[in-house]
Amino acid sequence: RDLSVMNVRTADGLMVELGVVAQYKVVLQKIPDIYQTYKTDYESFFISNLRSALQGLIAQFKATELYTERTTVDEAMWKTCENVCSENLKGFLTCWGIQLLDVNLDDRIETANIKQQVEMQKQATARMDQQASLIRSKTKVLEADFDRQIKMVNVEADAQAVNITRKASSDADFNLQEAKANALHTIQNTVRNGMSPISNAELLKYLEQGALIDSTDGALVYGDFQSATVFANTGGNGGGRQNGLHEL
């Protein structure tokens, strides 16, 4: 049933025009009682009671809530319609639907509501901007902290790399010297002068001769810690080479 336009005052004292449509069914078993009570005018009684109940219901909501809380308003209207059918009309009818189609306010009130909604939207946008700015600030702080940690890790890694490289070089030098020492020891024990191992002087002579064979262009320094002799090849005028001994 399409009810005529209803003028209702809301909880905040504003007059609104409502367009409402209600759907109901007659309970077949109650038809004799309906006729006995209302004759054929049961619908007028239903509409009158429903309008009165809806006026009391809408008075519980603010005008803006008829827009913003539409689902809640619809549910409350449906329960009111059911209550009218079960209580006021003694269960002769059942309400199976009711819709709030139109909500009309005075133009000045409508304009004020629009301005209020726009202002609320601006405030919400400003709050979101502030929150976004705060998030960006926190992100920059985290980014700076991460950069600092990365730099620290890189510095530590570089330091460790230098230490590892130095240790590897030191170990290599040590291993080389140890290998040379082992080689000298092996040579001294392997090369013999008759039945006896060669002496230190003979070992030095052996190394000198080996160096001359391996590198004929290089200089040879030999001797003890107190004195040493450099044996070198020098170029002559004719492109040949001459041997020279220099006492140190």
Side-chain angles (χ1 to χ4, degrees):
R1 179 67 176 179
D2 189 358
L3 307 184
S4 59
V5 175
M6 298 174 54
N7 292 310
V8 183
R9 188 175 298 277
T10 60
D12 47 356
L14 300 178
M15 293 298 297
V16 296
E17 291 183 353
L18 304 180
V20 180
V21 174
Q23 295 87 28
Y24 68 91
K25 293 191 301 184
V26 176
V27 179
L28 295 180
Q29 296 82 353
K30 300 289 186 177
I31 289 178
D33 296 329
I34 293 174
Y35 184 78
Q36 183 178 0
T37 305
Y38 305 110
K39 302 301 181 184
T40 59
D41 199 27
Y42 63 89
E43 185 175 87
S44 298
F45 188 78
F46 166 69
I47 293 174
S48 175
N49 282 266
L50 180 59
R51 288 173 65 91
S52 177
L54 289 177
Q55 286 179 340
L57 172 67
I58 299 302
Q60 301 175 20
F61 294 94
K62 294 180 180 180
T64 53
E65 291 176 339
L66 299 178
Y67 297 98
T68 60
E69 303 293 334
R70 194 59 170 266
T71 301
T72 302
V73 173
D74 288 343
E75 291 179 354
M77 290 176 60
W78 181 67
K79 290 181 180 179
T80 299
C81 182
E82 280 191 324
N83 185 68
V84 168
C85 290
S86 61
E87 299 294 333
N88 299 64
L89 274 78
K90 303 177 182 179
F92 295 162
L93 306 177
T94 59
C95 181
W96 60 273
I98 185 169
Q99 295 82 38
L100 177 59
L101 301 180
D102 299 312
V103 179
N104 297 320
L105 298 172
D106 183 88
D107 290 341
R108 291 173 297 178
I109 298 174
E110 191 78 33
T111 301
N113 285 338
I114 292 174
K115 290 182 179 179
Q116 181 184 18
Q117 293 297 321
V118 170
E119 184 63 28
M120 291 174 62
Q121 185 63 38
K122 288 182 179 179
Q123 293 175 1
T125 302
R127 287 194 296 269
M128 288 189 291
D129 289 340
Q130 291 176 354
Q131 186 176 6
S133 177
L134 179 61
I135 292 174
R136 285 194 295 269
S137 299
K138 290 182 178 179
T139 302
K140 289 182 180 180
V141 172
L142 292 175
E143 182 180 5
D145 185 60
F146 288 152
D147 289 340
R148 179 185 61 81
Q149 294 182 28
I150 290 173
K151 290 180 181 178
M152 291 179 61
V153 171
N154 289 336
V155 169
E156 292 177 0
D158 292 341
Q160 292 180 5
V162 171
N163 291 336
I164 292 172
T165 302
R166 288 178 178 176
K167 185 177 184 302
S169 178
S170 176
D171 291 345
D173 292 340
F174 174 79
N175 292 333
L176 178 61
Q177 296 301 324
E178 186 178 26
K180 289 181 178 180
N182 291 335
L184 292 176
H185 181 71
T186 301
I187 292 172
Q188 193 170 21
N189 290 333
T190 302
V191 180
R192 293 180 175 276
N193 183 8
M195 298 300 294
S196 302
I198 61 176
S199 64
N200 291 337
E202 291 172 328
L203 177 60
L204 183 60
K205 186 67 175 177
Y206 174 85
L207 294 174
E208 174 189 340
Q209 297 298 326
L212 290 174
I213 294 172
D214 293 337
S215 178
T216 58
D217 295 334
L220 175 65
V221 180
Y222 63 96
D224 55 21
F225 288 104
Q226 285 74 29
S227 64
T229 301
V230 177
F231 184 87
N233 289 331
T234 59
N237 294 331
R241 298 185 180 276
Q242 297 179 349
N243 296 331
L245 289 176
H246 304 280
E247 190 74 24
L248 300 180

